Amino acid sequence: MKIIKLTAISAAVLASTAALAAEPVVVVDEADASVYEAEPVAVAYEADQMQTEYGEASADTNTGIVGKTTGAVSNATGAVVGGTKTLFNTAVNPAAVSAEVGTLGYGANVGWALNENTELQAGWAGGDVADLFGGDFDAGDVNYDVDADFSNPYIGVQLRPTGNWFTVGGGIIVPDNDFDVTANADGGFFKVDGQQYNATETGTLEGTMEHRNKVAPYATIGFRPNITNNWGVFGEIGAAYMGKTDATVQAVNADSVVNYTDANGVSQTTTAGDVAKKAEKELEDKDWLEWMPIVKVGATYRF
């Protein structure tokens, strides 16, 4: 503040000096018919006067500074609110919606553009898609029919690394996929752990499977060409790591006696429940779809 005051005072002194130096002021006293040349005005007085006026003005100046500071705070608040609105608008105004069908099921996803080559996606795929895997599979020497109930919510990022149709994707799935299995007899026998058991005595063997991973990472590559300004299609292939399999196999009549001949040709007996336990172990060892293949196609509408 002292520097500002000294600057103002110096300016006042210079202004007064310049005004006095420009031309002398002639004063005519009519009574005495005398001519006087005006003397320079006392600079100190003007300096004091300027300081007094400046002191009074400083309060107004400080008030102005406070006002400007308040305005800055208001502007900062507006910027934060504006940023929040931008995030909100981005969230409620997605860049695209897509419908899909594939090995994860039938579903849809919503995409938000982070930039021209990056898109955040959130979606869900599920339903009974066992037929997409052929509807059956083999574990050991036993063939099983499969019914599936899939639920695969996911979130991920879709990249266009070269800026064209080629895409690379990655993210996580939260799988809740249940498989119901029923064993099929082969030639009237179930061959479990290298041993043949009479299918009629064993009865029906059925069970369930579930992957252990509660969160499954996935990665894909694909293509996403645009057909029009708004419509496009896509295809992707990849895999998700679902983890090992927990299985349960039960015999409908667990206490039923089952006759069989061992490897030495000796007749033996067991129960249908024991046969089911051996089949269960083989089913878990199979780790069916530990790496879930991802193959899907779909259509996209861009806003």
Side-chain angles (χ1 to χ4, degrees), residues 12-269:
V13 171
L14 290 173
S16 301
T17 304
L20 292 173
E23 290 293 339
V25 180
V26 178
V27 180
V28 179
D29 188 337
E30 293 181 357
D32 297 335
S34 301
V35 177
Y36 303 95
E37 184 173 327
E39 296 293 334
V41 180
V43 175
Y45 170 77
E46 293 189 10
D48 291 341
Q49 184 67 20
M50 178 63 71
Q51 183 174 1
T52 301
E53 292 177 358
Y54 181 80
E56 293 174 353
S58 64
D60 294 334
T61 303
N62 292 337
T63 303
I65 292 172
V66 173
K68 290 179 181 179
T69 303
T70 305
V73 172
S74 299
N75 291 338
T77 304
V80 172
V81 173
T84 303
K85 287 181 178 178
T86 301
L87 292 174
F88 177 77
N89 290 336
T90 300
V92 300
N93 294 291
V97 293
S98 302
E100 64 182 58
V101 60
T103 53
L104 292 178
Y106 310 89
N109 67 63
V110 180
W112 293 269
L114 303 182
N115 56 51
E116 62 181 8
N117 292 327
T118 308
E119 187 172 279
L120 178 66
Q121 290 184 337
W124 178 90
D128 184 357
V129 294
D131 289 341
L132 294 175
F133 300 102
D136 68 325
F137 71 98
D138 294 329
D141 294 316
V142 181
N143 177 263
Y144 291 89
D145 286 331
V146 183
D147 288 323
D149 183 15
F150 278 16
S151 178
N152 291 298
Y154 63 88
I155 184 169
V157 176
Q158 195 73 231
L159 304 174
R160 295 178 185 263
T162 57
N164 56 16
W165 295 1
F166 176 69
T167 62
V168 176
I172 58 171
I173 301 170
V174 185
D176 184 14
N177 301 324
D178 296 323
F179 303 92
D180 294 327
V181 297
T182 303
N184 296 314
D186 181 14
F189 294 90
F190 292 115
K191 190 174 182 178
V192 181
D193 193 24
Q195 183 65 57
Q196 287 187 330
Y197 299 95
N198 185 289
T200 301
E201 295 176 345
T202 303
T204 301
L205 298 178
E206 56 188 16
T208 62
M209 294 190 305
E210 185 177 9
H211 290 109
R212 296 176 185 175
N213 282 6
K214 301 307 178 184
V215 175
Y218 75 87
T220 62
I221 59 173
F223 67 96
R224 288 179 173 265
N226 292 326
I227 299 174
T228 68
N229 288 336
N230 298 107
W231 288 98
V233 295
F234 67 89
E236 293 178 36
I237 59 173
Y241 182 67
M242 296 291 184
K244 295 186 178 297
T245 304
D246 288 327
T248 300
V249 177
Q250 296 177 334
V252 173
N253 297 311
D255 295 328
S256 176
V257 177
V258 179
N259 296 289
Y260 68 97
T261 302
D262 65 17
N264 297 319
V266 179
S267 295
Q268 302 284 352
T269 60

